[in-house]
Amino acid sequence: MFTDLLAMQDLSSQELIEVLNLADQLKYEKKNGIPHPHLAGKTLGMIFQKSSTRTRVSFETGMYQLGGTALFLSSNDLQIGRGEPIEDTARVLDRYLDGIMIRTYAQSDVEKLARYCNIPIINGLTDYCHPCQVLADLMTIREHKGKLEGLKMCYIGDGNNMANSLIVGGLLAGMSVSVATPGAYKPHQQVLDFASGKDFLMTEDRFEATKDADVVFTDVWASMGMEGEAEQRRRDFAGWIVDGKLMSYTKKDAMVQHCLPAHRGEEIAADVFEAHAAEIFDEAENRLHAQKAVMVKLMA
Ligand code: CP
Ligand code: NVA
């Protein structure tokens, strides 16, 4: 049984499906007014070293719906921002809280937090991965397509945190995963090693990756913290847009998913975004349900 969610690799295929099943159940209960106070009396600390709309609001309201409380802890206000080591912060927060969600830069900081805490740690995004997002994505695909196994997922764009988690999540779910990135922007080597020998294609040809796909994913060209490289990246990614032409290579009923925020006219064309807006905002909603399932699994 997983005791933290630091990366998608923490989950087995079976645990992944169990989380998705619980997420479906919690969504049903929420929609039907059935209370589910699994975390009554518990407190989640939410450490943010980067901006957030979805992650912050969905964790906070999710914790409230589960009967618990969430504390928003901006790194500007914590002593971490003034140099208090993670090791000490961890051993203090461990005495007060029942779980921590952290959004930061280095994956090693999240791992260090987990090493020094006994309470569960949930990764709310690092430069390396974004597992909570990918749980919501898989939940959304299963809702729309009725299954995951055997479907073809493709990811087009930067080999970033989203790409890393999607590759692992898709493969754990039994999907066929194809990724196209411009040469220098490949996913993390650890993830490529995980994917090696599985139903995985890595290419620089975005049309090949998209061919007969059931689900198309993309994400921003410059992630949080990469603002200084944005101009260079705009040049390197020129033409790497999910538009009508690229979508003509997919299956006819293909879905489009985007973790948001989206940059229309860069990684995704406005008309493709709007044509798939219902699926994309279902995906955003499912952050709430999927993360509630993670919190119940780890903290109840
Ligand atoms: N997709 C996502 O994580 O959104 P936020 O950055 O708004 O949390
Ligand atoms: N890759 C993006 C995802 C935002 C949710 C980033 O890290 O900024």
Side-chain angles (χ1 to χ4, degrees), residues 48 51-58 103 124-125 130 133 162 224 258-261 287:
F48 281 93
S51 307
S52 170
T53 297
R54 280 143 288 266
T55 305
R56 178 185 174 178
V57 178
S58 56
R103 166 169 287 197
L125 180 147
H130 198 1
Q133 180 68 52
M162 276 305 299
M224 289 181 276
H258 193 307
C259 66
L260 304 174
R287 293 293 303 277

Side-chain angles (χ1 to χ4, degrees), residues 45-49 71-78 93 97:
M46 308 188 300
I47 302 175
F48 281 93
Q49 300 192 292
L71 296 178
F72 174 70
L73 305 169
S74 156
S75 61
N76 297 330
D77 305 326
L78 290 173
L93 295 181
L97 301 170

